[in-house]
Amino acid sequence: MKDAFSPPSPPPAPAPAPAPDSAEDLADARLAPWTFSPWPAPRRDHASGGGSGSGRPNPLFTILPVSALAIGLVLLVAVAVILLAVTRRARPPKADGASGSCNGDSGKPGAPTSSCGSHVTSRCGGYAAAGTGCIYAGRLGFSAQPRSRGAQVFTYRELERATDWFSECNVVGRGASGAVFRGRLADGTTAAIKRLRLDQRRQGEREFRIEVDLLSRMDSPYLVGLLGYCADQSHRLLVFEYMANGSLKSRLHHPAPAAAAAAGPPPPPPLDWQTRLGIALDCARALEFLHEHSSPAVIHRDFNCSNVLLDHNYRARVSDFGMAKVGSNRTDGQVVTRVLGTTGYLAPEYASTGKLTTKSDVYSYGVVLLELLTGRVPVDTQRPPGEHVLVSWALPRLTNRQKLVQMVDPALKGQFALKDLIQVAAIAAMCVQTKAEYRPLMTDVVQSLIPIAKTTPAMSCSSTPLRPALQHVIFMGPQCGDDKASS
Ligand SMILES: Nc1ncnc2c1ncn2[C@@H]1O[C@H](COP(=O)(O)OP(=O)(O)OP(=O)(O)O)[C@@H](O)[C@H]1O
């Protein structure tokens, strides 16, 4: 610890953010300094006040006490004015119909629950410089706002205890980067704990850093909440809010009855039309938030139905930001990057040239919308020739009324309004346009879906992540394999 009486050193000049060589390197550039920035030490002001820190007292102050008093008074007034200004700024904004507050207080009883939907997310949007655990705070020039909560730092031991030593019974899913466990944190919160497998290419480490960085800064009810993380020695774990109904993939493409019977519990009932529309709208709002309300824009880059998670009410949140790219916007276009993502969801221009824009996410969104409509997976080689690739099979049918009805998921049993179906099909057709510039903005998609999914209200700020109340309805089941989601 620094000696309190040691001579003051000049405050370090803020290190300029290293300019990435190219837009491609934006995310990579952020990986280099894996250091947690502590709060800056309070700066002591030695420039004014008259007394020198060392040496003999200044004789001026002995002969001019009145001047010293006057200077002191002026300083006192200045400090009071500054304090007043700071207090005013720190006061929470008044709740009114036009603006929502997504700060941590919103979930408290009595806090305003105004909408954080697409048209009001700008306050909720943008990035906040998280006080703790924010790895890259301030390096990318995000618009900084005070953030009321940050991701918590866990030790490996704490997460071992939470998951009963990573018991197989608590595995809720497995992804390419590792297993996800259900766990109960020390405060009683049920969480999804993702234990990353760090490979030799250090891709896991990279994804871990990006995910912690982005999710600890972004605050939207449409993105999965990051409760915390663990970077204990070589362990890398992410702690998310628990989404009781698993991934959209596991709910939409449920196993065939025979396979399900062999696996044990009966498959859950298929998602109905209204629920599907609600999920489509929630996802559209999530991408709208990333593209339009974050500065700079964030491209998810791996939007697909296994990265859409469903809570106990089947409200959707988007997850998995390990491949996200920051730094492109819709006016100046694109980031040229390695092609990563999931087969069947990649926009053609991105797959062939690596040119990534927010419109690449729009394409992936269109594929998910088609999955919701048809119940089909994006690529299915078991189907007859001509039907392997969902987009090419669906596109010509989307604008033909008769064929459109035939392509709808049979599990829906015709329970939808034709008028709504036609509109959703039109949106899907726009999103999967081959030419990126013909695809709509996510804001347009949101606005088009709102009247169709009219019974699905915008999630209020009160249902933003990290609310303990949401977690209390979920209990850790003692039986192995109860609700394992296939991935
Ligand atoms: N927050 C969560 N709450 C509940 N279940 C979750 C949560 N996060 C993940 N899961 C479950 O774990 C599974 C694996 O998730 P994970 O994000 O590791 O992989 P993925 O997205 O399926 O695939 P990939 O690793 O290729 O992105 C999901 O399909 C889901 O069933």
Side-chain angles (χ1 to χ4, degrees):
M1 199 175 158
K2 202 177 171 189
D3 177 7
F5 298 101
S6 61
S9 49
D21 293 341
S22 67
E24 146 74 330
D25 292 326
L26 262 177
D28 298 347
R30 296 150 67 229
L31 298 175
W34 170 230
T35 49
F36 293 82
S37 330
W39 286 106
R43 191 179 145 188
R44 280 170 288 146
D45 192 351
H46 298 266
S48 58
S52 62
S54 59
R56 274 181 250 147
N58 191 330
L60 271 180
F61 288 106
T62 53
I63 58 172
L64 293 174
V66 180
S67 310
L69 197 66
I71 292 170
L73 270 175
V74 169
L75 281 176
L76 209 65
V77 171
V79 168
V81 168
I82 291 167
L83 272 179
L84 197 70
V86 168
T87 323
R88 285 202 168 176
R89 285 186 67 160
R91 241 176 241 161
K94 266 190 194 168
D96 60 45
S99 63
S101 162
C102 276
N103 62 26
D105 291 342
S106 54
K108 292 178 184 166
T113 55
S114 49
S115 163
C116 272
S118 59
H119 57 298
V120 291
T121 39
S122 51
R123 174 98 53 80
C124 318
Y127 294 91
T132 54
C134 181
I135 304 165
Y136 310 106
R139 296 205 59 215
L140 290 173
F142 294 123
S143 42
Q145 294 173 13
R147 189 183 166 84
S148 55
R149 61 181 180 229
Q152 205 181 323
V153 182
F154 292 95
T155 62
Y156 188 68
R157 174 48 70 91
E158 283 172 316
L159 298 184
E160 269 185 335
R161 281 202 203 100
T163 55
D164 196 14
W165 276 259
F166 298 106
S167 158
E168 276 296 307
C169 296
N170 288 325
V171 174
V172 292
R174 291 182 199 278
S177 46
V180 179
F181 299 80
R182 184 171 47 186
R184 191 184 290 278
L185 304 177
D187 67 358
T189 304
T190 303
I193 299 168
K194 188 168 177 174
R195 186 168 58 170
L196 297 175
R197 209 177 23 241
L198 298 185
D199 58 14
Q200 297 203 321
R201 293 175 299 116
R202 299 182 64 78
Q203 184 65 24
E205 179 79 31
R206 172 190 307 253
E207 289 179 13
F208 173 78
R209 293 177 183 194
I210 294 174
E211 193 127 26
V212 172
D213 182 26
L214 287 180
L215 280 177
S216 59
R217 292 168 191 234
M218 295 189 297
D219 195 4
S220 161
Y222 303 103
L223 307 181
V224 74
L226 181 75
L227 303 180
Y229 59 90
C230 163
D232 201 343
Q233 296 177 37
S234 62
H235 303 294
R236 297 290 180 271
L237 297 99
L238 296 160
V239 182
F240 296 105
E241 61 172 328
Y242 187 75
M243 301 292 283
N245 280 307
S247 70
L248 174 60
K249 182 180 177 185
S250 64
R251 296 316 294 250
L252 196 58
H253 307 304
H254 40 79
L271 299 171
D272 64 29
W273 176 249
Q274 208 55 46
T275 305
R276 293 182 197 212
L277 287 184
I279 292 169
L281 181 54
D282 289 343
C283 293
R285 284 183 157 130
L287 292 178
E288 179 197 32
F289 175 86
L290 297 177
H291 297 173
E292 312 283 331
H293 299 294
S294 303
S295 177
V298 174
I299 304 172
H300 186 287
R301 200 151 66 135
D302 193 23
F303 182 77
N304 65 60
C305 73
S306 71
N307 291 336
V308 173
L309 299 175
L310 305 172
D311 74 6
H312 63 292
N313 273 330
Y314 289 93
R315 298 306 301 262
R317 296 181 200 269
V318 172
S319 70
D320 243 331
F321 288 80
M323 292 186 200
K325 274 276 178 189
V326 178
S328 172
N329 62 51
R330 69 175 189 273
T331 45
D332 74 28
Q334 62 203 24
V335 176
V336 179
T337 180
R338 275 179 305 157
V339 177
L340 295 173
T342 305
T343 316
Y345 293 91
L346 300 183
E349 75 285 353
Y350 172 50
S352 58
T353 65
K355 283 178 190 160
L356 183 73
T357 65
T358 51
K359 295 294 180 79
S360 320
D361 280 349
V362 177
Y363 182 93
S364 310
Y365 175 83
V367 178
V368 170
L369 205 49
L370 287 177
E371 290 182 78
L372 285 164
L373 275 185
T374 63
R376 293 188 177 208
V377 294
V379 179
D380 187 351
T381 50
Q382 306 293 314
R383 291 201 178 264
E387 298 190 21
H388 291 183
V389 179
L390 177 58
V391 171
S392 16
W393 170 76
L395 250 180
R397 290 169 168 76
L398 288 169
T399 45
N400 177 320
R401 216 173 252 224
Q402 206 182 347
K403 288 185 176 166
L404 176 61
V405 176
Q406 288 165 4
M407 70 186 275
V408 174
D409 186 354
L412 282 168
K413 299 198 170 88
Q415 289 173 352
F416 52 83
L418 182 61
K419 176 175 70 66
D420 292 350
L421 173 65
I422 291 170
Q423 288 185 40
V424 175
I427 297 169
M430 295 283 285
C431 291
V432 295
Q433 288 291 309
T434 311
K435 281 211 165 286
E437 56 269 33
Y438 295 160
R439 294 174 209 145
L441 299 174
M442 286 316 299
T443 302
D444 301 330
V445 174
V446 168
Q447 293 309 322
S448 314
L449 279 174
I450 285 173
I452 313 170
K454 41 200 167 298
T455 52
T456 307
M459 270 195 258
S460 71
C461 298
S462 61
S463 54
T464 47
L466 318 190
R467 278 203 318 146
L470 272 187
Q471 318 293 342
H472 287 159
V473 295
I474 297 144
F475 300 99
M476 287 179 67
Q479 312 96 316
C480 247
D482 245 10
D483 65 347
K484 280 179 196 173
S486 62
S487 62

